[in-house]
Amino acid sequence: MNIAIITARGGSKRIPRKNVKAFCGKPIIEYSIEAALQSGCFDEVMVSTDDVEIAAIAKKAGAAVPFMRSEATANDFATTADVLKEVFDAYQANGKQFTNACCIYPTAPFVTAEKLKEAMKTLAETEATTVMPVVQYSFPPQRALVIRDENLTPQYPEYQLKRSQDLEPVYHDAGQFYCFSVEDFLREGKVIGEKTKALIVSDLEVQDIDNEEDWKIAEMKYHLMQTGK
């Protein structure tokens, strides 16, 4: 059995009510729920939240909210691993255990059913403990500059004369979802294990949403993806 877990607490500091704020016409959390449901990969699609409004929206969108998140996992110091452990413990107490899981962020409108299917397929068919979307840095980090003694200087001088195409591609977390083996997670206590596979996505499909400007950029990217113009 597989489970999709969407982590959506109510307390958002930088963008108030971020997880239920309207994104291109509907609560942003609905995109994550719909992608999980449409993928057909999961026996259970649930939302872990401490917020009554989020729970109501999640249920209306088709997700399960079998319990409300505890105060201990709803504060600013709780980790994603803490939240996931609570979910697995709660299900196990009711006699349900899962083989693989996918933790999906509630503010990830670029997650699609197709990406989830590809990631879960890779997880099932390889020895991976985790599969996650990543995006290549648009500018080579090897060419980074730092300010020292009030002057700009290369952080990595050894790479300054190398051609861009000769530099090793460097990626970062797309911040959308993590598909993982539940057994490995419970044993290691971390989502990103030693055998992590990459699902490479384009820069157009990735946007951190930490402030109102990020939100507007994300909506523009989403509109561009949907319309092509």
Side-chain angles (χ1 to χ4, degrees):
M1 293 180 65
N2 298 330
I3 183 173
I5 303 167
I6 298 160
T7 56
R9 73 186 184 104
S12 177
K13 303 295 190 296
R14 289 172 290 190
I15 303 179
R17 308 301 296 161
K18 177 181 178 179
N19 292 331
V20 292
K21 180 179 170 67
F23 182 93
C24 291
K26 63 184 178 184
I28 194 167
I29 191 174
E30 289 190 14
Y31 294 90
S32 297
I33 295 171
E34 289 173 1
L37 292 170
Q38 290 169 8
S39 73
C41 294
F42 307 104
D43 301 282
E44 180 93 338
V45 175
M46 69 86 67
V47 171
S48 169
T49 186
D50 60 322
D51 187 274
V52 174
E53 182 186 7
I54 293 175
I57 291 173
K59 290 177 182 177
K60 187 176 180 181
V65 186
F67 62 90
M68 298 301 285
R69 190 186 296 190
S70 68
E71 184 177 342
T73 59
N75 61 47
D76 292 337
F77 304 101
T79 66
T80 297
D82 293 332
V83 175
L84 296 175
K85 180 69 164 53
E86 180 180 66
V87 169
F88 294 130
D89 286 346
Y91 274 99
Q92 186 169 12
N94 287 316
K96 284 189 177 181
Q97 293 183 311
F98 300 94
T99 303
N100 293 320
C102 187
C103 174
I104 308 174
Y105 287 141
T107 53
F110 300 104
V111 172
T112 63
E114 289 69 29
K115 288 180 190 175
L116 293 175
K117 283 191 275 190
E118 184 177 350
M120 291 297 286
K121 185 173 185 290
T122 300
L123 186 66
E125 296 180 354
T126 69
E127 295 182 354
T129 55
T130 310
V131 181
M132 57 184 282
V134 296
V135 60
Q136 185 175 341
Y137 280 96
S138 58
F139 185 86
Q142 298 95 326
R143 294 275 178 82
L145 302 173
V146 292
I147 299 176
R148 293 176 182 155
D149 298 325
E150 299 184 1
N151 295 315
L152 278 175
T153 186
Q155 186 172 21
Y156 308 107
E158 64 271 28
Y159 294 119
Q160 292 308 300
L161 297 180
K162 283 197 173 185
R163 301 181 306 168
S164 296
Q165 59 265 42
D166 294 332
L167 297 174
E168 181 181 16
V170 181
Y171 302 86
H172 65 84
D173 185 351
Q176 297 177 355
F177 65 85
Y178 310 92
C179 296
F180 59 95
S181 159
V182 176
E183 181 182 359
D184 288 317
F185 166 76
L186 293 176
R187 183 180 63 253
E188 298 179 10
K190 56 185 180 181
V191 176
I192 302 176
E194 292 182 4
K195 295 181 180 178
T196 296
K197 301 292 186 183
L199 176 66
I200 300 174
V201 298
S202 74
D203 190 58
L204 181 61
E205 303 169 77
V206 177
Q207 179 62 45
D208 281 339
I209 306 178
D210 293 327
N211 53 51
E212 293 293 344
E213 183 176 282
D214 291 339
W215 195 281
K216 292 176 182 177
I217 293 172
E219 286 190 312
M220 287 190 288
K221 282 187 174 183
Y222 186 82
H223 177 77
L224 181 60
M225 283 182 60
Q226 298 301 307
T227 64
K229 59 182 180 180

